[in-house]
Amino acid sequence: MKIVDKVNECIAKGQTVFSFEFFPPRTEEGVENLFDRLDRMAAYGPVFCDITWGAGGSTADVTLDIAKRMQNVVCVETMMHLTCTNMPLEKLDSALAE
């Protein structure tokens, strides 16, 4: 089911809709700190989670790691907020495929 469909379903049921947006931490400690808290944040029932991809792909690997964990381990629907400025097409295609 697409995220927009999940949002529309909640609205139709009169439920509150909210999501989380994460900016990838810049340090390894920050990444581990975020990973340690994902389950607690997911317990609040967000409809989805958005992970920001830094301009020029500066945080591409961290963004993918966070998105994979949120989607596949924590089981919250996840999307990447891709910033395509100064990005080679191959890198975008690779990120989307992954």
Side-chain angles (χ1 to χ4, degrees):
M1 177 183 283
K2 293 179 183 180
I3 290 174
V4 68
D5 296 330
K6 288 183 173 201
V7 169
N8 286 332
E9 184 178 281
C10 289
I11 291 170
K13 293 178 181 177
Q15 297 173 335
T16 300
V17 177
F18 75 95
S19 65
F20 289 121
E21 180 173 4
F22 300 112
F23 296 88
R26 295 181 186 199
T27 65
E28 195 60 40
E29 286 177 346
V31 172
E32 287 306 314
N33 189 30
L34 177 59
F35 284 160
D36 289 344
R37 287 163 173 68
L38 290 179
D39 285 326
R40 281 189 277 162
M41 288 185 276
Y44 288 100
V47 173
F48 68 96
C49 176
D50 182 333
I51 315 295
T52 299
W53 170 291
S58 60
T59 60
D61 293 337
V62 178
T63 296
L64 285 169
D65 289 345
I66 295 168
K68 282 187 223 174
R69 185 165 304 191
M70 194 60 139
Q71 181 78 33
N72 300 319
V73 176
V74 182
C75 299
V76 172
E77 190 70 42
T78 304
M79 68 177 186
M80 291 186 298
H81 177 147
L82 294 175
T83 305
C84 303
T85 304
N86 299 321
M87 284 290 285
L89 183 58
E90 301 80 32
K91 188 157 189 162
L92 290 171
D93 286 342
S94 175
L96 291 170
E98 195 168 331

